[in-house]
């Protein structure tokens, strides 16, 4: 079935460093790849997304890249800040008749001040 | 900007009881999704509705049912509750059921079954 793998499961960086989270999806029909940030007990918050007709997208300190051939997509956060600490989920959708999201298993990012 | 509204925010039930969770999508959004998130887990898709019709179904137990009403709000009905149903239940809405529309999540309902 549809599956999204996410690595690493935990990531600790120093403030100001960059962080990279990688995901791989199984359904080649997927065409939409959002990233969500979730703080403990809070809702998943959409931070950036990319569609299959684009290879890269950037929004200030956050960027996402997509390699459709390899079915890989990645989140890049530069100049990390303590408030970036949270769980980050990648997701894939669009592989079927609906837009349901298949999530990765999450990455706990800790930014050390 | 208006966001997705969920009620109640917290719910405590005993085993074998029933629960009803409500979701009010962002205005003009016609598609609603329900997700279940266990402790330390990723959100799992349960079911979705578009224009009051079920559009997709995921790993939703037969004890659960849901519907979308004419005002586009949705309700998730859960019966014969089990301890394993304790989780965060999120509703998300989008403008359209297919393609690449963004999904925005509500604050969630924390269900605790004792």
């Amino acid at each position: 079935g549809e599956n999204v793998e996410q690595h690493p499961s935990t990531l600790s960086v120093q403030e100001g460093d960059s962080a990279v989270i990688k995901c791989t999806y199984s359904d080649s029909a997927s065409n939409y790849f959002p990233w969500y940030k979730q703080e403990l007990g809070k809702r998943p918050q959409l931070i950036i997304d990319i569609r299959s007709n684009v290879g890269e997208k950037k929004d200030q300190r956050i960027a996402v890249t997509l390699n459709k051939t390899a079915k890989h997509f990645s989140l890049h956060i530069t100049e990390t800040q303590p408030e970036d600490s949270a769980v980050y989920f990648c997701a894939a959708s669009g592989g079927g008749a609906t837009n349901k999201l298949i999530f990765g298993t999450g990455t706990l990012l800790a930014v050390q001040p | 900007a208006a966001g997705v509204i969920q009620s109640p925010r917290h719910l405590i039930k005993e085993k074998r009881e029933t629960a009803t969770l409500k979701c009010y999508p962002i205005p003009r959004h016609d598609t609603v999704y329900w997700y279940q998130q266990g402790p330390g887990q990723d959100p799992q898709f349960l079911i979705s509705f578009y224009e009051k019709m079920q559009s997709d179904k995921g790993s939703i137990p037969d004890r659960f049912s849901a519907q979308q009403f004419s005002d586009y709000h949705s309700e998730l009905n859960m019966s014969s509750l089990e301890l394993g149903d304790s989780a965060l239940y999120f509703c998300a809405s989008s403008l359209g059921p297919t393609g690449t529309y963004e999904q925005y999540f509500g604050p969630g309902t924390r269900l605790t079954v004792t």
Side-chain angles (χ1 to χ4, degrees):
Chain A
E2 302 149 326
N3 184 51
V4 176
E5 293 186 0
Q6 183 171 346
H7 300 281
S9 56
T10 60
L11 180 59
S12 182
V13 300
Q14 291 294 125
E15 183 177 358
D17 287 350
S18 296
V20 179
I21 303 170
K22 298 183 179 182
C23 289
T24 303
Y25 60 98
S26 63
D27 188 347
S28 56
S30 296
N31 59 6
Y32 176 63
F33 308 92
W35 286 86
Y36 287 87
K37 174 184 180 182
Q38 187 177 32
E39 298 176 357
L40 189 62
K42 301 290 182 63
R43 77 185 79 190
Q45 179 186 359
L46 179 66
I47 57 172
I48 196 167
D49 56 15
I50 192 166
R51 291 164 175 80
S52 59
N53 59 344
V54 176
E56 184 174 356
K57 183 177 178 180
K58 189 174 181 180
D59 183 4
Q60 299 183 339
R61 297 185 297 110
I62 295 174
V64 59
T65 59
L66 172 65
N67 182 330
K68 282 218 74 178
T69 302
K71 292 191 281 188
H72 289 170
F73 58 114
S74 300
L75 177 70
H76 304 252
I77 305 174
T78 59
E79 301 172 23
T80 54
Q81 302 167 2
E83 50 266 38
D84 294 330
S85 298
V87 177
Y88 290 80
F89 289 100
C90 63
S93 80
T98 66
N99 207 18
K100 68 180 179 186
L101 294 175
I102 305 299
F103 283 87
T105 49
T107 296
L108 176 60
L109 174 64
V111 180
Q112 310 297 332
Chain B
V4 178
I5 297 172
Q6 289 187 248
S7 66
R9 296 292 308 280
H10 302 273
L11 193 56
I12 299 175
K13 292 286 185 178
E14 295 186 355
K15 284 192 304 184
R16 292 179 289 278
E17 285 192 321
T18 61
T20 297
L21 280 53
K22 297 184 179 183
C23 169
Y24 297 85
I26 293 171
R28 296 192 303 114
H29 282 195
D30 53 16
T31 307
V32 169
Y33 309 81
W34 287 96
Y35 294 88
Q36 177 192 58
Q37 186 176 30
Q41 304 294 313
D42 56 287
Q44 295 289 315
F45 171 73
L46 293 177
I47 195 166
S48 61
F49 292 88
Y50 167 63
E51 287 291 345
K52 291 140 302 187
M53 299 287 289
Q54 180 181 307
S55 53
D56 202 353
K57 191 173 182 180
S59 50
I60 183 169
D62 292 340
R63 300 178 288 106
F64 294 5
S65 65
Q67 58 182 323
Q68 185 180 34
F69 295 85
S70 57
D71 63 351
Y72 296 104
H73 94 272
S74 177
E75 295 184 3
L76 178 65
N77 299 292
M78 311 161 72
S79 63
S80 303
L81 287 169
E82 301 174 356
L83 295 178
D85 296 329
S86 296
L88 264 172
Y89 289 84
F90 289 105
C91 168
S93 73
S94 71
L95 187 63
T98 61
T100 58
Y101 294 108
E102 298 91 345
Q103 286 186 36
Y104 295 96
F105 282 71
T109 294
R110 181 174 295 281
L111 173 65
T112 302
V113 181
T114 62

